[in-house]
């Protein structure tokens, strides 16, 4: 019986989220949390939709399956699909993109097609565009390729990335990730909040994303040069620019000010959120325990992750 398992990591935007949708660079990193997709051939071919075991994201998965059917001129009828994941959902850590990338990888193997990460990434980008309207492609790219990436979408058909030949320095105090929760979708934030801001005042918007680009550049330099003090200052500047973009809720701003007042630095990472929480907050402090205690006070889950994880990976193939 055919059985294929493919996994994909989550990600963090260290800088450049939202600006990357509008042609600016982003610095993104794959993390040590992963999502696993297993496709199992059913002994008895069924005629209904092959998706079982899925309580959420059903429409999204149908889109992915149809995309592959169209691309390879095939029709799937005979498999079950199971998902397990330890990537927080809807928090800006790429759980959706990991689902797309791993599912596409698994479907491609299932069909006996060659393993081609570039192709997986391109198909995942098409699916993501369907999901949130105006995607940059930075999520599927870092999730496919892993590591620490400098990414930029120049044009719809011209997306470039550079796998940086260095890591987040071991000398940096490990980041703490705090999940502040979120209610809006990425599409609401990318199209609704930020898209509107651009339409309302294009000049001011250009100025703001140019400042974000500058921060992305200098933050990359600080990581390269192992300058943690500079890195932390830039995290704070980055957070202020994201607040000006309008993607950080009042309650998350208050939480981040408390972190800053206790001697740390923090920023949202990913799409953010306005109504309640803002997804994952990436925080640094000389004493990570202080951050965790503060997160507890706000009743936000906190955790640590390894950075620079491997991209999409074949876990098990039984044919
Ligand atoms: C979402 O993880 C990152 C955004 O920049 C959207 C995108 O790049 O497509 C908000």
């Amino acid at each position: 019986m055919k059985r294929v398992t493919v996994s994909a990591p989550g990600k963090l935007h260290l800088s450049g989220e939202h600006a990357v949708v509008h042609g600016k660079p982003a610095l993104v990193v794959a993390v040590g949390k992963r999502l696993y997709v297993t496709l199992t051939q059913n002994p008895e071919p069924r005629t209904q939709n092959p998706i079982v075991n899925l309580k959420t994201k059903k429409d999204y998965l149908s889109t992915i399956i149809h995309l592959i059917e169209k691309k390879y001129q095939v029709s799937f009828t005979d498999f079950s699909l199971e998902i397990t994941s330890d990537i927080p959902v809807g928090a800006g850590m790429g759980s959706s993109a990991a689902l797309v990338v791993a599912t596409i990888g698994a479907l491609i193997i299932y069909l006996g097609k060659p393993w081609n990460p570039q192709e997986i990434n391109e198909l995942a980008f098409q699916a993501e565009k369907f999901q949130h309207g105006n995607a940059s492609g930075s999520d599927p790219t870092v999730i496919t390729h892993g590591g620490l990436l400098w990414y930029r979408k120049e044009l719809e058909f011209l997306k470039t990335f550079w796998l940086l030949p260095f890591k987040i320095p071991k000398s940096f105090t490990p980041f703490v990730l705090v999940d502040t929760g979120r209610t809006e979708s990425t599409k609401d934030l990318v199209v609704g909040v930020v898209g509107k801001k651009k339409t309302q005042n294009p000049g001011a918007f250009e100025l703001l994303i140019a400042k974000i680009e500058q921060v992305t550049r200098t933050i990359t330099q600080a990581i390269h040069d192992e300058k943690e003090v500079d890195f932390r200052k830039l995290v704070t500047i980055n957070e202020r620019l994201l607040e000006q973009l309008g993607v950080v809720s009042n309650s998350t701003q208050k939480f981040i000010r408390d972190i800053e007042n206790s001697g740390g630095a923090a920023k949202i990472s990913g799409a953010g959120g306005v109504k309640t929480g803002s997804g994952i907050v990436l925080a640094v402090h000389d004493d990570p325990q202080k951050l965790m205690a503060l997160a507890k006070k706000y009743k936000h889950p906190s955790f640590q992750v390894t950075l620079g994880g491997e991209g999409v990976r074949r876990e098990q193939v039984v044919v």
Side-chain angles (χ1 to χ4, degrees):
M1 193 168 55
K2 232 196 263 186
R3 192 177 161 89
V4 176
T5 303
V6 171
S7 75
K11 62 83 199 176
L12 287 172
H13 273 74
L14 297 175
S15 186
E17 52 273 85
H18 287 292
V20 68
V21 174
H22 305 275
K24 300 297 186 191
L27 183 66
V28 278
V29 67
V31 301
K33 287 188 177 290
R34 300 186 79 82
L35 175 142
Y36 294 78
V37 168
T38 298
L39 297 186
T40 310
Q41 187 175 26
N42 290 320
E44 296 293 325
R46 294 166 308 131
T47 46
Q48 84 265 35
N49 191 312
I51 302 166
V52 294
N53 239 340
L54 306 172
K55 297 193 176 63
T56 56
K57 308 217 179 237
K58 210 167 174 165
D59 292 345
Y60 198 17
L61 278 162
S62 305
T63 307
I64 298 165
I65 291 167
H66 290 140
L67 197 76
I68 300 293
E69 286 184 328
K70 205 165 147 213
K71 163 92 185 165
Y72 295 105
Q73 296 292 297
V74 291
S75 174
F76 292 113
T77 52
D78 62 346
F79 64 79
S80 311
L81 194 152
E82 275 176 64
I83 300 158
T84 56
S85 175
D86 59 0
I87 306 170
V89 175
M93 285 189 73
S95 63
S96 282
L99 174 67
V100 181
V101 167
T103 305
I104 291 174
L107 288 168
I108 284 177
I109 296 180
Y110 193 83
L111 287 175
K113 303 289 175 196
W115 181 255
N116 180 347
Q118 224 166 318
E119 185 151 294
I120 294 173
N121 185 22
E122 189 49 40
L123 287 163
F125 175 62
Q126 301 304 332
E128 223 199 10
K129 274 205 304 192
F130 172 85
Q131 172 82 345
H132 76 79
N134 196 6
S136 72
S138 56
D139 289 16
T141 301
V142 68
I143 284 166
T144 301
H145 295 284
L148 176 64
L149 294 191
W150 175 271
Y151 177 90
R152 192 166 189 144
K153 181 175 86 170
E154 304 288 350
L155 297 162
E156 210 54 29
F157 57 87
L158 176 53
K159 301 182 285 302
T160 62
F161 73 90
W162 186 260
L163 183 55
L164 295 169
F166 51 88
K167 296 186 168 135
I168 308 294
K170 285 206 171 70
S171 59
F172 279 24
T173 317
F175 304 154
V176 173
L177 303 183
V178 182
D179 191 350
T180 64
R182 163 174 140 194
T183 45
E184 303 101 314
S185 66
T186 299
K187 185 176 184 173
D188 289 342
L189 293 152
V190 169
V191 181
V193 178
V194 179
K196 249 188 213 146
K197 194 155 195 111
K198 184 176 181 175
T199 318
Q200 277 162 1
N201 192 341
F205 183 81
E206 279 308 317
L207 221 61
L208 192 51
I209 61 170
K211 284 185 190 165
I212 294 177
E213 173 169 15
Q214 191 51 29
V215 169
T216 303
R217 225 168 266 290
T218 44
I219 233 170
T220 307
Q221 188 75 54
I223 291 170
H224 174 268
D225 298 346
E226 304 198 11
K227 291 190 169 158
E228 191 176 2
V229 175
D230 291 359
F231 174 78
R232 288 193 192 184
K233 279 185 197 149
L234 290 159
V235 164
T236 304
I237 296 171
N238 199 340
E239 168 59 25
R240 292 296 182 282
L241 295 171
L242 287 160
E243 289 172 12
Q244 286 172 39
L245 259 189
V247 293
V248 189
S249 72
N250 289 338
S251 62
T252 305
Q253 288 188 34
K254 184 171 177 303
F255 173 58
I256 289 177
R257 291 301 173 279
D258 278 358
I259 293 176
E260 291 168 357
N261 292 336
S262 82
K267 71 176 279 283
I268 62 143
S269 176
V274 187
K275 289 182 187 151
T276 50
S278 310
I280 286 292
V281 163
L282 186 163
V284 274
H285 196 290
D286 287 336
D287 180 359
Q289 292 304 326
K290 276 208 174 133
L291 286 177
M292 300 218 183
L294 206 52
K296 206 168 168 189
K297 191 177 132 195
Y298 276 81
K299 298 194 169 54
H300 296 325
S302 65
F303 53 95
Q304 289 181 297
V305 284
T306 51
L307 299 174
E310 207 184 321
V312 65
R313 186 167 74 201
R314 283 165 287 190
E315 298 288 345
Q316 187 202 37
V317 179
V318 180
V319 284

